[in-house]
Amino acid sequence: MLVAAIVIPILFFVFFIVTKKERKKYDRLWKRLGDVEEIDTVKGIVASKITDKKRFYQHRYYVSIEFRIQTNTNKSIRAIYEKPIQFTEEVEHEPPWKTGDALTLYGSWDNQQFRVNRIKEGLEQ
């Protein structure tokens, strides 16, 4: 009995420390979720958009907006914009961008899709 009285609290403490480190690691990843290098720009008109709230880790969520952008050269580009949802924020269910809006997207390419860091309305020169 004496061994169990010593070993069980130690196991709980070790488990607590391990989960605390893991949680900090995922919190850092979650906060950097929307940070993408601005290497390239995409300009065009929103052909369609899908907004979705997704779970990142335990109680951490993020908003994922997938755009289909129609460029001047009639090319359709899939662009993904992801942003972590903070506890203090009220989440807008619909972003301000609508189908038919002209947007300039700043970000970088990831295989066949464009990862967006920031969005400006209008087609900038």
Side-chain angles (χ1 to χ4, degrees):
M1 279 309 240
L2 185 60
V3 173
I6 295 171
V7 172
I8 291 175
I10 291 172
L11 287 175
F12 279 123
F13 183 71
V14 168
F15 178 73
F16 174 75
I17 297 298
V18 168
T19 55
K20 190 174 180 180
K21 284 182 182 179
E22 184 178 279
R23 187 173 177 177
K24 283 183 181 180
K25 179 182 90 172
Y26 281 109
D27 280 351
R28 281 193 306 271
L29 291 173
W30 172 74
K31 287 178 183 175
R32 293 186 314 198
L33 183 67
D35 295 341
V36 178
E37 282 188 278
E38 291 185 7
I39 298 172
D40 202 1
T41 60
V42 170
K43 301 173 186 178
I45 297 174
V46 178
S48 68
K49 92 177 150 66
I50 300 170
T51 305
D52 197 13
K53 178 182 171 184
K54 297 181 180 181
R55 174 178 274 175
F56 183 75
Y57 176 75
Q58 290 182 354
H59 63 287
R60 300 288 189 198
Y61 292 89
Y62 66 98
V63 174
S64 175
I65 305 170
E66 182 179 326
F67 295 103
R68 285 283 177 189
I69 303 293
Q70 193 73 31
T71 63
N72 294 342
T73 59
N74 287 335
K75 187 176 179 183
S76 181
I77 295 173
R78 179 178 176 214
I80 297 176
Y81 178 68
E82 295 175 333
K83 178 185 174 195
I85 300 173
Q86 303 288 342
F87 293 119
T88 56
E89 289 182 5
E90 286 296 322
V91 179
E92 294 180 6
H93 293 288
E94 282 298 315
W97 310 290
K98 297 179 177 55
T99 304
D101 286 353
L103 298 177
T104 301
L105 309 174
Y106 299 90
S108 61
W109 289 98
D110 182 22
N111 294 331
Q112 296 296 319
Q113 59 193 10
F114 189 74
R115 293 280 180 183
V116 180
N117 187 40
R118 68 184 165 105
I119 300 173
K120 283 197 176 180
E121 292 187 24
L123 298 175
E124 295 183 353
Q125 300 301 333

